[in-house]
Amino acid sequence: MSDHYGDVKVQLGQMKSLGEDAEKEEVDPEEEMPVSSPSASPDPAGCCITTAPGTDALSTNICKQKGKRSRKNPCGKPLQGFPAHAVKNINSPICEQTLLIKGTGKILQGKSAESNWNYVAVHESSNTQETRCEDEFKLPRKRRPVTVDTSKAKTSLEALKLSIKELQWKEFHTGRRAACDIYWHGVSFHDNENIVSGQVNKFPGMVEMLRKINLSRAVRTMQELFPEEYDFYPRSWILPEEYQQFSTEIRMVKESDATESPTFIVKPDGGSQGDGIYLIRDPGDLKLVVGAQAKQAVVQEYIHKPLLIDKLKFDIRLYVLIKSVQPLEIYIAKEGLTRFCTEPYQEPSQKNLSRVFMHLTNYSLNVQSGNYVHSDSQNTGSKRTLSSVLYRLAAKGVDIKRVWSDIIALVIKSVIAVLPDLKVHYQADIPPAKPGPTCFQILGFDILLMKNLKPVLLEVNSNPSMRIEHEQEVAPGVFEYVPSPVDEQVKVGVIRDTLRLMDPFNKKLTATPHPAGGGSDPVEVIPADGDSQGRSPDNAGNLPPLCLKQVYPKYTKQFSHLRLVERIAALFIRFLGVKGNMRLGPTAFRTFIRTCKLSNSNLTMASVDILYIDITRRWSFALADSREAGMGLQAFVEAFFNLAGRRFKSLALREQVVSLLDLCESHLGPQSGAEDRRSLSCSRALPRGGRTPALYLPRPRPISPAAHRRATSQDCRPHQRPKPRTLRANVEN
């Protein structure tokens, strides 16, 4: 080796600190890892020296630690094979290419940012070749802003604008030719027909399912299976089809006790904002006919002993986010609204039935009262925050922990009741082999607390009002919209944090499904300082903690047994075929009976046909606005209950249904992976290892490729949305 030694300066780069969360980030799999020769000795700090064998030439290369980026100085420790005193560690954000001119000891380097240089002193031989230092630690690129289409947002636009501004996202208020990440619709999934990707804030079928009649039917089915679990919904009758049943029961009650005179509240099926609601004490007071048509409505038992504050009746508007239905993910806003009547409450009597400001809590009604108080304070006025009311009750010794637990249970059970129909609606609107967006939706739950603090579900709104201003008369006959601080405080937080949870670039806020049987008891109270889960990475220091709390799948253990009807819906969808319809024809029903081997000496195929005809005919009269022929899901559920009763006569209804489900699923066998295209929800495919167990979601039967092509050949154009079904005018509540 030559005695001639020279100092060679080799410039090394150091990665800029990535912040506190950088240590946990995974390296992009598409980034190329530096390749070192077999003779390289990796440095524990993240540096490696690659030496060409058989020569004195030296090239240095900084390489990443496998699997993560390091926040430490990549060359902060002595390089292996060199004395510690030969290395000087000085920060440098950028490392340009450096060339050593042979025999001169000079270094030629390109431009660099302001920096303090890192020097490595090594001995040079006569065969020293040019060396190069490349910066493998690239500075993190700022992600592009999330894009939101607000052209269909309607009345929620102002709160949405404020939320987007807080998140520093990009709004397209007139739409965009290119696809957006999120589409915010005002009424239904069909507000925009040409969406083939991204995320939409509405589920197809949610508007129909949360109409008063359909909600009552769904809850009634659950009450048949789980009467004690679903006692939070008032007893209801559907008009006009159940008028005779309602009249008979009321007459029997009065005959048994002459002093008994119950009160009932009548709600039009398509009504909103309190329109058309009235109280009755006698079936003869029902207004069944409007013009030449029978008026569809729901009549419910009136809750005559509500909890009062300041002698006023009130209800709770709670905002609930359905983030996904497959797997089911439910979030509840930790802050809500309480809406007060404007007249002191009195128990209903024949004289005061018409005093709506005393009995009805709807904001749209009470705001017309001269006693309505618009307040800037969250704990006074005719509209207050939920937390202010709960804390006031807690000061009086009320067990708020128990109340909040009961409310959480009510919400989860209500969502489970409507979930089977939602899955059927989805496969009809976005058939298999067609592209489709991911869906999420904010629902408005109206809950009344009884005097004994038991929560009662009044209704669920698919389009809860997200206005953050109210109309006020500023001069005689002159009205204008003025800000409402209480509304803004609650609603902007709900929308903003919904967007944060749906952020397509932020996986940290995406909940991981809990294993079946996991979770703890839902006995949590609204914390004063909010929840600490998840902050947006781009605005972590500017945004408050999430105001939305996950309650499912967190509490799967307590409620998974309620999802029986979903298993029935999975059978129903399986025999619908792949055409995306919502009705089961007679041939498909017979196929279901044969495939599941349900026919026997007591159930011949002739009796199967009679059962199909009877149930389908009855439901066709019940669904006056239905134009489709065949058996819908609710009719199929009734037929399934009938078959279970025939097959397992000695068991209770719930055990009959479970036994028949087990029998059917055992004959159908596992679902073919080829049919994974049939999505049963508005969520995209689950990651591997996270699929929902086949307990209540059996897969559809495989079909031949030729049959599949015939069935989907007319529905595979990626830019054509399915034709929306006719919807009634929908006004937000």
Side-chain angles (χ1 to χ4, degrees):
M1 182 177 291
S2 172
D3 293 333
H4 177 72
Y5 298 100
D7 292 336
V8 179
K9 297 180 181 179
V10 180
Q11 180 184 355
L12 300 176
Q14 178 186 16
M15 180 186 72
K16 187 178 180 180
S17 174
L18 297 178
E20 292 181 357
D21 293 329
E23 292 179 338
K24 300 180 181 179
E25 283 189 16
E26 293 185 357
V27 175
D28 189 340
E30 295 182 1
E31 288 185 351
E32 231 179 303
M33 297 295 296
V35 180
S36 59
S37 70
S39 61
S41 299
D43 181 76
C47 297
C48 60
I49 304 299
T50 305
T51 308
T55 69
D56 292 328
L58 173 69
S59 65
T60 60
N61 186 30
I62 303 174
C63 60
K64 298 178 182 176
Q65 292 180 352
K66 188 175 183 181
K68 62 172 70 175
R69 296 187 180 101
S70 174
R71 294 177 54 217
K72 300 178 181 179
N73 185 348
C75 292
K77 298 183 181 180
L79 300 178
Q80 296 183 5
F82 296 94
H85 67 270
V87 181
K88 299 179 181 179
N89 300 316
I90 308 175
N91 293 331
S92 171
I94 299 178
C95 182
E96 297 287 344
Q97 186 180 30
T98 306
L99 299 179
L100 173 68
I101 308 301
K102 182 179 179 181
T104 66
K106 296 182 180 180
I107 294 176
L108 179 63
Q109 60 187 20
K111 292 183 180 180
S112 64
E114 283 187 11
S115 60
N116 296 319
W117 302 107
N118 295 336
Y119 296 97
V120 179
V122 297
H123 297 291
E124 171 190 334
S125 69
S126 58
N127 295 325
T128 303
Q129 300 177 359
E130 70 178 43
T131 61
R132 180 180 60 173
C133 176
E134 294 180 352
D135 182 12
E136 293 291 341
F137 292 96
K138 299 179 181 178
L139 295 178
R141 290 181 298 178
K142 186 177 180 180
R143 76 177 194 186
R144 69 170 179 83
V146 179
T147 56
V148 184
D149 185 329
T150 63
S151 60
K152 307 291 184 181
K154 298 184 183 291
T155 56
S156 60
L157 182 59
E158 292 304 318
L160 185 59
K161 283 179 175 290
L162 290 176
S163 301
I164 294 173
K165 185 176 180 180
E166 284 189 50
L167 296 171
Q168 299 179 15
W169 290 3
K170 192 168 184 179
E171 176 193 1
F172 290 88
H173 63 277
T174 58
R176 185 190 188 197
R177 181 171 298 179
C180 282
D181 297 311
I182 295 176
Y183 295 84
W184 197 276
H185 291 178
V187 176
S188 77
F189 175 80
H190 296 291
D191 284 358
N192 189 333
E193 301 177 26
N194 300 313
I195 300 174
V196 296
S197 63
Q199 301 177 94
V200 183
N201 72 316
K202 301 291 181 184
F203 281 98
M206 187 72 82
V207 172
E208 293 89 338
M209 264 315 300
L210 294 183
R211 293 188 187 278
K212 296 173 180 63
I213 287 180
N214 286 333
L215 177 63
S216 295
R217 285 189 174 124
V219 175
R220 181 184 298 178
T221 299
M222 300 303 294
Q223 286 175 334
E224 292 184 53
L225 294 170
F226 308 96
E228 295 180 357
E229 302 267 12
Y230 282 83
D231 62 346
F232 57 82
Y233 193 70
R235 193 177 182 191
S236 306
W237 294 265
I238 296 171
L239 303 177
E241 63 183 274
E242 296 177 352
Y243 172 75
Q244 292 298 332
Q245 179 184 347
F246 171 65
S247 300
T248 302
E249 292 191 29
I250 301 307
R251 185 179 66 253
M252 293 175 61
V253 169
K254 291 184 177 181
E255 289 176 355
S256 62
D257 186 355
T259 61
E260 186 73 19
S261 184
T263 304
F264 302 91
I265 183 168
V266 184
K267 304 176 181 179
D269 181 45
S272 60
Q273 299 181 347
D275 183 35
I277 298 179
Y278 61 97
L279 275 61
I280 63 170
R281 307 197 86 183
D282 188 272
D285 298 331
L286 285 170
K287 305 169 186 177
L288 295 178
V289 179
V290 177
Q293 285 188 334
K295 188 173 184 179
Q296 288 192 306
V298 171
V299 55
Q300 289 181 334
E301 290 179 326
Y302 180 82
I303 307 301
H304 64 281
K305 290 187 177 181
L307 179 68
L308 304 179
I309 291 182
D310 299 331
K311 298 182 180 181
L312 299 174
K313 180 180 176 181
F314 70 94
D315 74 350
I316 298 170
R317 165 57 62 86
L318 193 63
Y319 296 98
V320 175
L321 168 66
I322 310 299
K323 184 175 183 288
S324 164
V325 296
Q326 180 61 24
L328 179 60
E329 291 187 56
I330 307 172
Y331 289 77
I332 294 181
K334 293 179 289 187
E335 185 64 282
L337 298 172
T338 50
R339 306 172 301 182
F340 285 76
C341 288
T342 49
E343 289 186 15
Y345 178 77
Q346 300 175 7
E347 288 201 11
S349 64
Q350 196 63 41
K351 295 181 180 180
N352 64 23
L353 289 182
S354 60
R355 295 173 65 176
V356 294
F357 299 147
M358 175 193 297
H359 296 296
L360 304 182
T361 54
N362 302 75
Y363 164 79
S364 54
L365 292 177
N366 283 279
V367 74
Q368 302 173 27
S369 169
N371 298 328
Y372 193 91
V373 178
H374 292 286
S375 174
D376 292 340
S377 171
Q378 64 175 358
N379 53 15
T380 61
S382 298
K383 184 185 289 186
R384 313 174 193 178
T385 60
L386 172 60
S387 59
S388 69
V389 170
L390 292 180
Y391 293 145
R392 181 170 174 177
L393 294 176
K396 295 182 178 181
V398 173
D399 186 358
I400 299 301
K401 193 175 183 181
R402 176 65 180 274
V403 173
W404 189 239
S405 169
D406 291 342
I407 289 176
I408 290 175
L410 179 151
V411 168
I412 294 175
K413 292 173 184 177
S414 301
V415 173
I416 288 176
V418 301
L419 201 56
D421 277 277
L422 287 179
K423 293 181 176 181
V424 175
H425 275 278
Y426 177 73
Q427 65 85 33
D429 281 287
I430 307 180
K434 287 205 67 174
T438 300
C439 301
F440 64 96
Q441 189 156 353
I442 299 173
L443 306 178
F445 277 69
D446 292 344
I447 300 170
L448 182 74
L449 289 180
M450 297 177 63
K451 195 172 183 178
N452 62 1
L453 299 175
K454 177 183 177 180
V456 175
L457 178 64
L458 300 180
E459 60 181 281
V460 185
N461 297 290
S462 60
N463 298 309
S465 173
M466 286 295 176
R467 284 189 181 275
I468 56 174
E469 66 279 335
H470 60 82
E471 195 176 53
Q472 184 171 323
E473 189 174 10
V474 294
V478 179
F479 294 86
E480 67 178 23
Y481 283 103
V482 297
S484 173
V486 176
D487 285 299
E488 182 173 340
Q489 175 186 348
V490 175
K491 296 175 182 178
V492 172
V494 170
I495 292 180
R496 179 197 64 225
D497 290 346
T498 293
L499 293 174
R500 290 168 70 186
L501 284 169
M502 303 311 300
D503 182 352
F505 303 119
N506 185 10
K507 298 180 180 179
K508 292 184 178 181
L509 293 179
T510 301
T512 301
H514 290 244
S520 57
D521 292 335
V523 290
E524 302 186 34
V525 66
I526 300 177
D529 58 350
D531 196 344
S532 61
Q533 64 170 334
R535 294 173 181 266
S536 179
D538 52 346
N539 280 326
N542 301 326
L543 296 177
L546 286 174
C547 72
L548 295 169
K549 176 180 179 58
Q550 188 195 80
V551 296
Y552 201 93
K554 183 175 183 179
Y555 302 129
T556 301
K557 181 179 179 180
Q558 287 75 21
F559 304 101
S560 59
H561 67 284
L562 302 176
R563 304 180 70 173
L564 282 182
V565 182
E566 283 183 75
R567 295 170 64 184
I568 300 176
L571 294 175
F572 177 78
I573 293 173
R574 182 163 186 162
F575 288 94
L576 282 176
V578 294
K579 294 184 179 180
N581 60 339
M582 296 177 61
R583 302 280 172 169
L584 204 66
T587 303
F589 188 72
R590 290 169 65 93
T591 303
F592 158 68
I593 297 295
R594 288 197 187 97
T595 306
C596 296
K597 300 180 180 179
L598 301 183
S599 60
N600 52 33
S601 58
N602 296 324
L603 182 67
T604 64
M605 295 309 294
S607 59
V608 168
D609 292 339
I610 294 174
L611 175 66
Y612 176 87
I613 293 171
D614 287 345
I615 292 180
T616 304
R617 182 179 298 168
R618 183 164 60 254
W619 278 91
S620 65
F621 285 111
L623 304 175
D625 58 346
S626 175
R627 300 178 183 178
E628 299 180 44
M631 178 180 282
L633 175 61
Q634 292 173 340
F636 181 77
V637 170
E638 181 183 335
F640 196 88
F641 285 7
N642 186 294
L643 294 170
R646 294 187 184 192
R647 187 91 178 197
F648 306 97
K649 297 180 180 179
S650 61
L651 302 177
L653 176 61
R654 188 192 312 174
E655 285 71 26
Q656 290 175 351
V657 171
V658 172
S659 299
L660 187 60
L661 278 169
D662 292 341
L663 179 64
C664 292
E665 291 167 355
S666 66
H667 286 303
L668 291 173
Q671 195 176 20
S672 170
E675 283 300 318
D676 282 344
R677 292 186 301 271
R678 179 183 291 283
S679 173
L680 299 182
S681 73
C682 276
S683 296
R684 291 174 181 168
L686 294 175
R688 292 182 179 177
R691 296 192 179 277
T692 303
L695 176 64
Y696 44 83
L697 292 176
R699 300 177 182 176
R701 184 176 53 177
I703 62 171
S704 66
H708 177 71
R709 286 194 299 271
R710 289 195 299 271
T712 59
S713 60
Q714 300 301 319
D715 294 319
C716 292
R717 292 184 292 273
H719 296 290
Q720 181 178 353
R721 301 291 308 139
K723 185 177 180 180
R725 289 185 293 280
T726 303
L727 300 176
R728 299 179 188 177
N730 224 288
V731 184
E732 64 182 15
N733 290 300

